[in-house]
Amino acid sequence: MWNIPNLLTMFRLLLIPVFIYCFYSGWEHYRFWAALVFCLAAITDALDGYLARKLQQSTPFGAFLDPVADKVMVAVALVVLAIHEQSLWFSIPAIIIISREIAISALREWMAEIGKRANVAVSNLGKYKTIAQMLALIGLIWQPQFALLAWFTPVGYAMLYLATILTLWSMYQYVSAAWQDLSQQ
């Protein structure tokens, strides 16, 4: 159970309070430090799955914990930013993304109960959605004030809207895949 991929996933969970502390620390360049911690968490997200496959160290514990760590990290960042930004333009995508994660997690659990979990397995679209979310959040957490990097924030918002579109699209795909079972009398 305590192999390298699972340790990376646990490390990602431990980075959540570090991220929150950095964001609210009041340090000079606090947003940079918070973005750096979030970026490190995003890297561990990509690395743990890769290593689990490459080293043949996939475990049931890792299969359970990895998506939990991803969803919690993204949700925490979205909530922290929604509180800080206090903008409808940020809050609506944040609500859509968090709501979709809850709905699809419930759908996967229900499909597993009826023995059809494979019908709603993670797709490539879901992976692209996660990449777009991570890139958007890194840009929006940091929001560099340097003229040379001023493009980070608008690109972060563009990626957030792309992530929201991918979120809705992937939700549609998962619900469509499960619709026959969901609509039975």
Side-chain angles (χ1 to χ4, degrees), residues 3-15 44-45 48-49 61-62 64-70:
N3 58 32
I4 293 170
N6 289 351
L7 289 172
L8 284 171
T9 302
M10 292 296 294
F11 179 64
R12 184 163 63 257
L13 283 169
L14 293 173
L15 286 175
T44 67
D45 178 27
D48 64 1
F61 180 70
F64 159 73
L65 196 61
D66 179 58
V68 170
D70 299 346

Side-chain angles (χ1 to χ4, degrees), residues 94-104 171:
I95 290 166
I96 290 170
I97 290 168
I98 292 170
S99 298
R100 179 263 187 208
E101 296 302 340
I102 294 168
I104 297 306
M171 184 170 81

Side-chain angles (χ1 to χ4, degrees), residues 72-131:
V72 172
M73 187 73 191
V74 168
V76 165
L78 287 167
V79 169
V80 164
L81 284 170
I83 292 167
H84 192 271
E85 296 294 314
Q86 295 187 4
S87 161
L88 195 60
W89 300 110
F90 185 87
S91 296
I92 289 175
I95 290 166
I96 290 170
I97 290 168
I98 292 170
S99 298
R100 179 263 187 208
E101 296 302 340
I102 294 168
I104 297 306
S105 293
L107 178 64
R108 285 192 177 125
E109 182 180 338
W110 182 75
M111 291 294 282
E113 283 181 23
I114 64 169
K116 296 188 177 182
R117 171 81 164 96
N119 292 9
V120 288
V122 175
S123 68
N124 284 336
L125 182 59
K127 292 177 183 184
Y128 301 144
K129 171 206 58 99
T130 300
I131 292 167

